[in-house]
Amino acid sequence: GFFTHCYLFLFCIHVIYLLKCHHWVASLLTVIFFVLYSCYLSVIIYTVSYQQSNDYVVQCVTLYLFSDITLFLLLLDFIFNFIMSTMQEQLDSILKTLNEVKTTQNKLVSSFNEQNKTLKNFNKRFDDLSIEITKLSNENSILKTKVSKLENKLLEIENISSLSSQISELNITNELADRQSRAQNIILYNLSEDSNNKQNSSSDGDRLKLIFNEMKIDFNPINFNRLGKLSNRTRPLKITLMDTKNIFEILRGQSKLRHSPDFKDLRFSSDKTLKQREHMQTLRKELQSRRENGETDIIIKYIKGNPQIINSKNL
């Protein structure tokens, strides 16, 4: 009777424990107790089968069978609890793995988003670079066009410079030739023409002799003639001499004519080319401008055959 009550007590504890935690340890403990109890019942039945009546033996066998059935059910419960516990652990492991997978997936999604954002930024930068490259290409084309134009202009300038150099050399040659051809000529200004016979040069020749005698110069001109067409103004007289030295003697001696009442208005000048006349005109304008600005001691003087403005105090 004591063991029967112990069994019922343990069975109740087992049921309560299963209802609360449903753990396989409780089932294992209960099975152990029932195995011990079944062993005890086997010993009792074996003992009383020789000492007690049949009814008592039947009761013991019935109790033993009930104990075995209970033990079988407990074994089933133990197996079920063990399987459920194992499955729960596996399920927890699977849930944990799923959570890790989910976390990893979130990280991958975040990384993918970052990579996508980086790719978009790269695409934007690439587009910007493409635009800049296009601009640089256009500017390069414009620069190439400008450089080509500049090269063409430079080539034209070089050609013009070469042509100008050639023209300048030709002008210098022509100027030298022109000066050489005029080297033996001298121009006489303000010598009146014969009003009765302007085409007759004998009167000019006779007066030239008188002028040269007044200047104490003894040589005869090779040729002389009036410059320009007939008009109301007195034309200059161009005189050709034998030697250029005669030209300098006449220019140095023309100051003697200032004291002659008949020839004081005459003025001799060398036969200048067009460039020489333009240069002399420029010098006269400069001389006048400088005198108006207060420079009084300046004159035009020939130095080595070239007219220059100098200070008269330095003479």
Side-chain angles (χ1 to χ4, degrees):
F2 172 77
F3 288 102
T4 302
H5 287 87
C6 289
Y7 167 75
L8 293 175
F9 176 73
L10 291 174
F11 182 74
C12 291
I13 292 175
H14 168 70
V15 171
I16 293 170
Y17 186 78
L18 288 178
L19 291 174
K20 287 185 176 181
C21 64
H22 195 73
H23 199 272
W24 63 272
V25 177
S27 299
L28 181 60
L29 291 175
T30 306
V31 168
I32 292 173
F33 279 111
F34 268 95
V35 168
L36 294 176
Y37 184 69
S38 298
C39 291
Y40 170 74
L41 288 179
S42 299
V43 172
I44 294 299
I45 293 171
Y46 179 76
T47 302
V48 297
S49 62
Y50 294 98
Q51 299 176 0
Q52 301 295 333
S53 62
N54 292 331
D55 293 332
Y56 183 74
V57 173
V58 170
Q59 290 179 1
C60 289
V61 171
T62 302
L63 182 60
Y64 178 78
L65 291 175
F66 176 75
S67 174
D68 289 339
I69 293 172
T70 304
L71 178 60
F72 177 73
L73 293 175
L74 288 175
L75 286 173
L76 290 178
D77 180 73
F78 168 75
I79 294 171
F80 176 76
N81 288 333
F82 181 78
I83 293 173
M84 290 300 295
S85 176
T86 304
M87 292 180 64
Q88 184 66 33
E89 291 177 356
Q90 293 179 352
L91 182 60
D92 292 338
S93 177
I94 292 172
L95 290 175
K96 183 179 179 180
T97 304
L98 288 176
N99 290 330
E100 293 177 355
V101 170
K102 186 175 181 180
T103 303
T104 305
Q105 183 181 7
N106 292 333
K107 291 181 180 179
L108 289 174
V109 170
S110 177
S111 176
F112 177 77
N113 291 333
E114 291 294 331
Q115 293 294 330
N116 191 23
K117 185 177 179 181
T118 304
L119 183 61
K120 288 182 179 179
N121 292 333
F122 177 78
N123 289 334
K124 184 179 179 181
R125 292 182 61 185
F126 181 77
D127 293 338
D128 294 338
L129 287 174
S130 297
I131 294 173
E132 290 295 328
I133 291 173
T134 303
K135 290 182 180 179
L136 289 175
S137 179
N138 294 334
E139 292 177 357
N140 190 28
S141 298
I142 295 173
L143 288 175
K144 285 183 178 180
T145 304
K146 290 183 178 180
V147 169
S148 179
K149 291 181 179 179
L150 288 175
E151 289 178 350
N152 292 333
K153 288 184 178 180
L154 182 60
L155 184 60
E156 292 178 359
I157 291 173
E158 290 178 352
N159 293 333
I160 292 174
S161 177
S162 177
L163 182 60
S164 299
S165 177
Q166 294 176 2
I167 293 175
S168 177
E169 292 176 358
L170 181 61
N171 290 336
I172 292 173
T173 302
N174 293 335
E175 178 69 15
L176 292 175
D178 194 10
R179 289 188 184 187
Q180 185 67 27
S181 65
R182 296 169 185 264
Q184 295 176 235
N185 297 337
I186 192 168
I187 307 299
L188 176 60
Y189 294 94
N190 301 326
L191 180 63
S192 61
E193 297 185 62
D194 189 354
S195 58
N196 294 324
N197 188 11
K198 292 184 178 181
Q199 297 295 331
N200 190 358
S201 61
S202 59
S203 60
D204 290 337
D206 295 336
R207 283 185 292 177
L208 279 177
K209 291 180 181 180
L210 294 175
I211 293 170
F212 289 156
N213 289 333
E214 185 73 20
M215 296 173 63
K216 307 295 191 235
I217 295 175
D218 186 15
F219 48 76
N220 296 321
I222 299 175
N223 188 23
F224 54 87
N225 61 284
R226 294 281 177 171
L227 300 177
K229 296 180 180 180
L230 289 172
S231 64
N232 296 327
R233 300 178 60 181
T234 300
R235 296 178 296 171
L237 180 66
K238 183 175 77 170
I239 306 167
T240 304
L241 302 173
M242 292 290 295
D243 194 350
T244 56
K245 293 181 180 179
N246 302 142
I247 303 296
F248 292 108
E249 290 181 10
I250 293 173
L251 292 175
R252 284 195 298 267
Q254 69 176 336
S255 60
K256 298 176 182 179
L257 298 177
R258 296 175 184 174
H259 306 289
S260 174
D262 296 328
F263 306 121
K264 62 180 180 180
D265 294 330
L266 298 182
R267 184 174 62 85
F268 285 97
S269 174
S270 59
D271 189 8
K272 298 180 179 64
T273 64
L274 176 62
K275 290 186 179 297
Q276 286 178 313
R277 291 195 297 270
E278 290 175 351
H279 180 59
M280 180 59 71
Q281 185 177 3
T282 302
L283 285 178
R284 288 195 182 101
K285 290 181 180 179
E286 181 181 353
L287 179 67
Q288 181 180 358
S289 175
R290 291 174 63 178
R291 284 177 175 176
E292 290 175 354
N293 291 330
E295 297 184 60
T296 57
D297 298 328
I298 53 176
I299 59 173
I300 296 176
K301 183 176 178 61
Y302 279 85
I303 299 177
K304 294 182 179 181
N306 294 318
Q308 298 179 15
I309 298 176
I310 62 171
N311 194 323
S312 59
K313 293 181 179 180
N314 297 331
L315 295 177

